[in-house]
Amino acid sequence: MASPEPGPRTTTPGRPRTLLLFGAALNLVPPAGFALAMSRLISAEQLSLVAGTGSLAAALCTLYALYLAALRRSLRGLLGGVALLAAVFFIGGDALVRAMPAESLGPGLVPFAGLLLHLSAAVTLFTLGLVYQDPRTAARRR
């Protein structure tokens, strides 16, 4: 006897919510690394590694969570854009600060803008993760 073929895989209702909350936590990694660098607990090279990796991971996880969550296209585009822009500003700003002289204030504002975007993305994703309802299970509850 042949065993029946497994049906198509579906996502569990809690998965997009979990990924949204995980994306929010990953968006807190670059600001936490920046705070550790300012308090002289980690070096500038360690900050670049932690913040760059955390920034890329936050952007990718955010994009995947937004893909799985059944959100409006405009909201998905806005949040995805903020996540990508935060990563670009933070990683690119870090490279810009290393390339420019230390006396210049302007380049330091670019990674700072990336940090603010990471914080705003974290708050937004956290809130969205708390209020998110899967459309399939929400329709059954009514």
Side-chain angles (χ1 to χ4, degrees), residues 31-94:
F34 189 72
L36 289 173
M38 289 298 112
S39 62
R40 307 270 193 245
L41 293 175
I42 62 174
S43 67
E45 290 80 22
Q46 290 170 328
L47 169 66
S48 293
L49 178 66
V50 167
T53 307
S55 194
L56 281 177
L60 293 176
C61 183
T62 300
L63 291 176
Y64 185 64
L66 292 173
Y67 170 75
L68 286 183
L71 301 173
R72 290 190 175 140
R73 179 174 276 213
S74 60
L75 183 60
R76 194 175 7 188
L78 179 69
L79 288 176
V82 166
L84 287 176
L85 196 61
V88 167
F89 273 11
F90 195 75
I91 295 170
D94 184 48

Side-chain angles (χ1 to χ4, degrees), residues 24-25 27-28 79 117-130:
N27 272 298
L28 293 176
L79 288 176
L117 284 172
H118 273 298
L119 288 173
S120 66
V123 169
T124 306
L125 288 170
F126 182 73
T127 305
L128 188 60
L130 291 179

Side-chain angles (χ1 to χ4, degrees), residues 96-97 99-110:
L96 185 66
V97 166
M100 298 293 274
E103 300 86 32
S104 177
L105 176 64
L109 294 177
V110 177

